[in-house]
Amino acid sequence: MRPRVGQMLASTVDTTAVIVVRCPDSEVDITCGGAPMIEGTAPGAVTGTPDPDRMGGSLLGKRYADEDLGLELLCTKQGPGTLAVNGVPLPVKSAKPLPASD
């Protein structure tokens, strides 16, 4: 799939939903729970079976990013599936440290 900024994706194996915040200009395989995510506004009917090894969970309001690839997803609905791109689990993006005030 070639993601677009602002595109909403939903999992086919759990309740996870995300919005694409930043994306590369290339094709990537975005999965949740080991199954491909589909375009949609909210998770619909569960149509697949999750991979038990890919059930680490996703957290509401957290950003998941692969800085090398240039992909960033915002979780809008959490679920038990692990978000991954090209088979590699996406880590939670860390917050930027605030400047020190003296």
Side-chain angles (χ1 to χ4, degrees), residues 6-11 15-19 38-44 76-77:
Q7 182 178 25
M8 296 179 199
L9 302 173
S11 173
T15 58
T16 304
V18 298
I19 293 178
I38 59 171
E39 187 168 3
T41 58
T76 58
K77 189 164 184 185

Side-chain angles (χ1 to χ4, degrees), residues 27-85:
E27 295 279 327
V28 293
D29 183 29
I30 301 172
T31 61
C32 181
M37 295 189 82
I38 59 171
E39 187 168 3
T41 58
V46 174
T47 59
T49 305
D51 179 352
D53 295 331
R54 301 282 184 182
M55 298 304 286
S58 55
L59 302 171
L60 177 67
K62 296 294 182 183
R63 292 176 184 250
Y64 292 83
D66 183 327
E67 297 299 328
D68 295 334
L69 191 58
L71 177 73
E72 185 174 331
L73 305 173
L74 173 64
C75 183
T76 58
K77 189 164 184 185
Q78 68 186 21
T82 298
L83 293 168
V85 63

